[in-house]
């Protein structure tokens, strides 16, 4: 047993550490089913244990990879054989829910869906929501500044975290568990750990912002003839559902057709429209909200803004509609399939998507490019499927990112950089911005032990 494994065993005991042979019985991540690698996998149960683990690793210049739910889309948490892995799996408690203050204190390994359900039991809502809700953790959501389907109304994770506690590379505990909406006393240190992908510290606890559970929730799936109608419909909903619109998700027709093909989801609307949108509104008065929602849809149909619509009549029907948008296993085969997450101005979307699709068709005769997105946030996802065997990641990146530069878009809207997008970071950030990121990393983690090789290229960009 190596020295570092002995030291870590001293901290957590033999029950909460796995060696490399047992680690390899696990899969690497949600997206990568090869055996996981690593020299040791430790499961701390307290912030103090995390601090002692990092202190040991820092002393030995030992690289550490932090694990939440392993659902990130940018190969951010895939360890190398010599890495120590710190999993927050056992730090999953919901410590306190304060209905009056509108806050919840949770440990970083708490699963998002468990937090949503626990606060719902008290009539409250934690509005971050995404397809990986059953596996992703609050710590992972913080580190990636997760977005999801309700950003339109509630903002990204950054807007939903009031305070947090984190451990620095040298084991120092920074407790910044603020509960107030307003607190301008000096630097807002929590921001160092939100969206920085575990490169500046390990988040151990957080104070989350809660909202009242809405009394009504209505969703619909609609079809449109062209993208201009999609944008006009979004504007109409923003005006007519004033402030209650919380989700507006687009699916291009080829995506909808592929996931509702034989053996896939049931298609509530015909499968040959060019665009589909699933959207949701929340309100405080079920009867009048329902009338208003239906009226807005009737008017949009009468104006030919939408050409078809279905309103789910139960929670189960609503889930079926949302599953079309959120469960896309049908398009993940045959491998390889490359996933993208870009942002750009809404007015550029239609032509940009056409350019990407044309690039994919020109590069691979049988290639497909399925498109979905959080359109109101200017955020699109592509699944590029070459439908050929081989490693085409670089070619696929070029198909998506080259036209993005022309419209001033970002290579990462909500998934982060991880290891997968490192070389594209200079596409979206200037040299001075990247240099400042390096200065921050160097001063907070001088031995570069925390998630090394993530976000910033090891030898510079
Ligand atoms: C089906 C599906 C749908 C998705 N939809 C969305 C979506 O709509 N919007 C969106 O933003 N993302 C989405 N994602 C991506 C993913 O769910 C998010 O990035 C999520 O926030 C990751 O959380 P996690 O717990 O799985 O983190 P992990 O994947 O375990 O880790 C992500 C990063 O955070 C670091 N990290 C994890 N925990 C901590 C911690 N406690 N302290 C410091 N660093 C830590 C890791 O080292 C890694 O760099 C989706 C993924 C899937 C599989």
């Amino acid at each position: 047993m190596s020295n570092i494994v002995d030291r870590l065993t001293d901290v957590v005991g033999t029950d909460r550490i796995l060696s490399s042979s047992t680690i390899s019985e696990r899969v690497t991540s949600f997206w990568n089913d090869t055996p996981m690698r690593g020299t040791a996998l430790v499961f701390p149960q307290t912030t103090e244990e995390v601090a002692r683990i990092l202190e040991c690793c820092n002393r030995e210049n030992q690289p550490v990879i932090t694990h939440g739910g392993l659902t990130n889309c940018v190969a951010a948490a895939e360890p190398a054989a010599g890495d120590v892995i710190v999993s927050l799996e056992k730090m999953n408690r919901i410590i306190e829910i304060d209905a009056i203050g509108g806050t919840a204190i949770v440990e970083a390994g708490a699963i998002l869906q468990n937090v949503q359900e626990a606060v719902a039991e008290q009539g409250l809502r934690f509005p971050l929501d995404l397809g990986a809700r059953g596996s992703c953790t609050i710590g992972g959501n913080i580190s990636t500044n997760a977005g999801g389907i309700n950003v339109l109304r509630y903002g990204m994770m950054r807007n939903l975290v009031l305070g947090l506690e984190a451990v620095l590379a040298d084991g120092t505990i920074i407790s910044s568990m603020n509960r107030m909406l307003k607190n301008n006393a000096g630097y807002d240190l929590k921001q160092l750990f939100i969206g920085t992908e575990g490169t500046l510290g390990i988040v151990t606890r957080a104070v989350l912002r809660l909202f009242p559970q809405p009394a009504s929730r209505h969703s619909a799936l609609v079809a449109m003839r062209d993208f201009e109608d999609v944008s006009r419909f979004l504007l109409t909903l923003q005006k007519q559902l004033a402030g209650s619109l919380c989700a507006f998700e687009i699916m291009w027709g080829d995506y909808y057709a592929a996931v509702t093909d034989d053996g896939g989801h049931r298609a509530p609307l015909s499968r040959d429209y060019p665009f589909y949108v699933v959207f949701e509104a929340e309100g405080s008065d079920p009867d009048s909200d329902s009338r208003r929602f239906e009226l807005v849809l009737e008017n949009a149909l009468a104006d030919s803004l939408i050409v078809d619509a279905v309103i789910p009549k139960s929670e189960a029907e609503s889930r079926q509609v949302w599953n079309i948008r959120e469960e896309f296993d049908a398009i993940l085969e045959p491998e390889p399939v490359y996933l993208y997450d870009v942002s750009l101005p809404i007015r550029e979307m239609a032509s940009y998507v056409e350019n990407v699709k044309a690039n994919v068709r020109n590069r691979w005769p049988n290639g497909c490019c399925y498109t979905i997105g959080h359109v109101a946030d200017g955020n699109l996802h592509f699944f590029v499927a070459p439908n050929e065997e081989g490693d085409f990641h670089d070619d696929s990146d070029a198909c998506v990112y080259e036209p993005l530069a022309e419209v001033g878009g970002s290579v990462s809207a909500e998934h982060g950089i991880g290891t997968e997008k490192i070389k594209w970071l200079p596409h979206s950030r200037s040299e001075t911005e990247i240099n400042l990121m390096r200065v921050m990393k160097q001063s907070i983690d001088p031995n570069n032990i925390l998630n090394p090789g993530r976000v910033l290229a090891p030898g510079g960009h």
Side-chain angles (χ1 to χ4, degrees), residues 51-276:
R52 286 173 62 205
I53 291 166
L54 290 191
E55 210 182 337
C56 289
C57 292
N58 195 44
R59 225 180 290 125
E60 312 240 341
N61 283 338
Q62 167 61 53
V64 175
I65 305 295
T66 305
H67 278 184
L70 297 179
T71 64
N72 77 85
C73 307
V74 287
E78 304 196 352
D83 291 342
V84 161
I85 306 159
V86 175
S87 167
L88 276 290
E89 201 175 295
K90 297 205 186 300
M91 292 182 63
N92 59 9
R93 287 183 312 142
I94 295 165
I95 299 166
E96 178 195 294
I97 297 171
D98 174 359
I100 304 287
T103 57
I105 298 182
V106 305
E107 288 184 328
I111 302 283
L112 172 60
Q113 188 169 352
N114 294 347
V115 173
Q116 292 171 333
E117 288 174 0
V119 303
E121 276 170 23
Q122 303 203 19
L124 296 163
R125 170 146 157 84
F126 181 60
L128 183 83
D129 199 19
L130 45 141
R133 62 181 75 77
S135 309
C136 65
T137 62
I138 294 299
N141 301 150
I142 291 174
S143 310
T144 56
N145 185 25
I149 55 179
N150 293 324
V151 172
L152 171 60
R153 182 159 190 200
Y154 295 99
M156 298 180 77
M157 191 61 174
R158 195 181 297 286
N159 297 61
L160 302 172
V161 178
L162 291 173
L164 56 73
E165 177 183 78
V167 182
L168 302 184
D170 66 0
T172 305
I173 298 170
I174 299 284
S175 193
S176 198
M177 297 286 283
N178 168 67
R179 294 155 184 256
M180 289 84 71
L181 205 49
K182 289 185 168 179
N183 185 347
N184 278 350
Y187 294 176
D188 187 0
L189 293 175
K190 68 176 180 286
Q191 303 297 351
L192 284 175
F193 308 99
I194 305 179
T196 48
E197 301 185 44
T199 57
L200 301 182
I202 297 186
V203 178
T204 49
R205 288 192 300 159
V207 184
L208 304 178
R209 192 174 165 199
L210 306 179
F211 296 81
Q213 192 61 245
S216 78
R217 192 171 286 155
H218 294 92
S219 56
L221 172 71
V222 298
M224 281 96 165
R225 259 190 298 262
D226 59 41
F227 189 84
E228 209 176 304
D229 288 341
V230 175
S231 325
R232 285 171 51 217
F233 185 54
L234 171 61
L235 260 185
T236 305
L237 292 182
Q238 281 173 325
K239 278 187 202 150
Q240 297 184 3
L241 294 176
S244 65
L245 183 67
C246 58
F248 188 90
E249 299 287 304
I250 191 170
M251 296 172 274
W252 260 249
D254 47 9
Y255 170 89
Y256 182 87
V259 298
T260 55
D261 206 352
D262 287 346
H265 301 292
R266 191 184 68 80
L269 294 179
S270 158
R271 296 173 59 237
D272 37 45
Y273 294 114
F275 296 95
Y276 299 81

